[in-house]
Amino acid sequence: MTGWMIPFMMRSIHRSKNGVFMKKINLIGIILLILSVVLITIGAYTGKVKETERKGNTICLECIGLG
Amino acid sequence: MDKRRKITQFITTLLYNPFVTNLFKGRLHTGSTKGVCVPGLNCYSCPAAAGSCPLGSLQQNLGNLKKGVNTYVVGSILFFAALFGRFVCGWLCPFGLLQELLYKIPFPKCVKRFKYLGWLKYVMLVVLVIALPIVISIEKGMGYPAFCKYICPQGTIGGMFLIGFNETLRAQAGLTFIIKTIILVGILICSMSIFRPFCRFICPLGAIYGLFNKIALIRIKHDKTTCTNCGVCEKACPMKLNPVTECNHADCIRCGKCISKCPAGSLKFTGKK
């Protein structure tokens, strides 16, 4: 979703001569923030937090350059 | 503001890595806090780490997409990006702090911008963070975090403690670890001469946050009506940007040096009057 939005926003900012676009930017920031909270909640309900925790609790040999 | 930022960086480093005694025991801290993604680059395989690195977690997920997309990790990264942008790099990243401390060492300083080298971090993001884990997982059934494996200097620091104090792991150290150590030493030496070389040219997490710099809720605003174009902010910017023409550029780490130096008060963080 954000992939196509970002270039659009960049162009909008350059065109901006007043605060109207800045308000739109704030709105997009808020929408993305809400989307992120939704994704985190979905992840929490589908056990992804536990999955992340399990990965974090075992030594990742690749991460430290041993794998 | 710089003092406040330094204090925040030190507190953040300690919050990310509170289990300091583990460094000398050669074992990881394990617990439910590892389920929390921290905003900055901080390897979860560092013995002192309390949380999980968002970049490492993302690569682990991309290397094993059979289980589905980890919406929790993607959501966490999006949350930090939409709220902070690269404010995370400037204020909440332990490896950024280490580079800044090294830059304070008296050493010949290179003040060039290296504009095109800045694109390297996007190459790292696309190739090592996204493409390689996916391609390897398709080929072999299970991918690995390629950026962590071949480049990440933060993980090498944690690995050094694990290897130093854990004999079983020490026996496994080979060529990859030697290459990673050379990369780490190279970055640390460059940090004495160039301001935050890893953040500017290599860090894929910074590249992700940078894409959101212009739309993040915490950003810098420039008041054209009061700006006198004196150029003080440009001279103050450690990332070699011009805050007047490149306000909220993808490389801006929101260190706030331009804000504190601006004599006309034309630069501010959003939300500040």
Side-chain angles (χ1 to χ4, degrees):
Chain A
M1 182 185 167
T2 53
W4 62 268
M5 283 171 97
I6 293 164
F8 170 74
M9 286 313 303
M10 300 297 178
R11 284 199 298 273
S12 302
I13 295 157
H14 288 301
R15 281 185 208 144
S16 170
K17 293 286 178 199
N18 51 41
V20 178
F21 278 120
M22 298 316 281
K23 282 180 186 167
K24 280 190 180 176
I25 291 163
N26 278 341
L27 187 67
I28 288 197
I30 291 164
I31 290 168
L32 287 177
L33 207 63
I34 293 166
L35 177 71
S36 70
V37 173
V38 170
L39 286 172
I40 291 169
T41 313
I42 292 169
Y45 272 103
T46 52
K48 299 296 181 190
V49 181
K50 279 278 164 204
E51 196 182 304
T52 310
E53 185 189 321
R54 197 161 19 86
K55 288 276 181 195
N57 281 334
T58 46
I59 295 177
C60 165
L61 293 175
E62 286 95 353
C63 300
I64 56 172
L66 299 183
Chain B
M1 189 184 289
D2 207 38
K3 199 177 171 186
R4 213 182 329 158
R5 190 170 71 91
K6 276 284 170 294
I7 292 168
T8 312
Q9 284 176 305
F10 275 110
I11 291 171
T12 309
T13 304
L14 207 62
L15 282 174
Y16 288 1
N17 304 288
F19 305 102
V20 184
T21 51
N22 274 4
L23 289 172
F24 310 103
K25 290 175 186 168
R27 61 177 167 84
L28 285 191
H29 159 74
T30 53
S32 56
T33 53
K34 282 281 176 81
V36 179
C37 274
V38 297
L41 195 79
N42 196 77
C43 186
Y44 46 56
S45 286
C46 172
S52 282
C53 173
L55 201 68
S57 304
L58 179 70
Q59 288 173 88
Q60 292 282 7
N61 179 231
L62 292 174
N64 192 11
L65 276 176
K66 281 179 211 157
K67 285 185 178 177
V69 175
N70 190 332
T71 49
Y72 169 70
V73 172
V74 175
S76 298
I77 294 173
L78 185 63
F79 178 82
F80 299 131
L83 185 61
F84 298 117
R86 287 200 81 175
F87 182 87
V88 172
C89 308
W91 294 68
L92 310 170
C93 182
F95 199 67
L97 171 67
L98 176 65
Q99 289 172 89
E100 282 187 23
L101 293 175
L102 287 169
Y103 192 68
K104 286 188 186 294
I105 295 171
F107 199 79
K109 306 293 179 200
C110 177
V111 290
K112 269 182 79 177
R113 181 167 171 183
F114 303 106
K115 195 175 176 182
Y116 296 104
L117 208 53
W119 289 98
L120 183 63
K121 58 181 175 288
Y122 298 102
V123 176
M124 293 279 176
L125 174 65
V126 174
V127 178
L128 293 178
V129 175
I130 300 169
L132 261 181
I134 295 173
V135 170
I136 294 163
S137 73
I138 293 167
E139 287 267 313
K140 296 182 178 174
M142 182 82 177
Y144 55 78
F147 179 78
C148 300
K149 183 172 180 173
Y150 300 118
I151 309 283
C152 187
Q154 176 84 32
T156 315
I157 296 173
M160 280 176 168
F161 282 100
L162 283 173
I163 285 169
F165 293 94
N166 187 322
E167 282 181 24
T168 320
L169 291 172
R170 201 179 305 150
Q172 294 181 48
L175 183 66
T176 319
F177 187 74
I178 293 168
I179 293 169
K180 277 194 76 176
T181 307
I182 292 167
I183 292 171
L184 170 69
V185 172
I187 289 168
L188 296 182
I189 291 170
C190 283
S191 300
M192 291 192 279
S193 179
I194 303 167
F195 185 80
R196 283 178 172 242
F198 178 75
C199 311
R200 284 164 72 180
F201 313 128
I202 302 170
C203 184
L205 191 61
I208 297 173
Y209 290 152
L211 293 172
F212 291 83
N213 243 7
K214 283 187 192 287
I215 52 174
L217 293 179
I218 295 175
R219 55 179 190 273
I220 293 171
K221 56 180 179 182
H222 173 240
D223 188 351
K224 282 178 187 170
T225 55
T226 54
C227 180
T228 55
N229 282 311
C230 61
V232 171
C233 55
E234 192 181 358
K235 280 179 196 155
C237 180
M239 300 298 275
K240 310 298 162 211
L241 301 169
N242 183 348
V244 174
T245 56
E246 299 168 305
C247 194
N248 296 308
H249 188 277
D251 285 344
C252 171
I253 57 164
R254 318 260 208 255
C255 65
K257 281 188 178 158
C258 56
I259 296 173
S260 48
K261 294 274 172 163
C262 179
S266 304
L267 292 158
K268 289 184 186 90
F269 275 121
T270 45
K272 290 251 177 182
K273 287 187 178 174

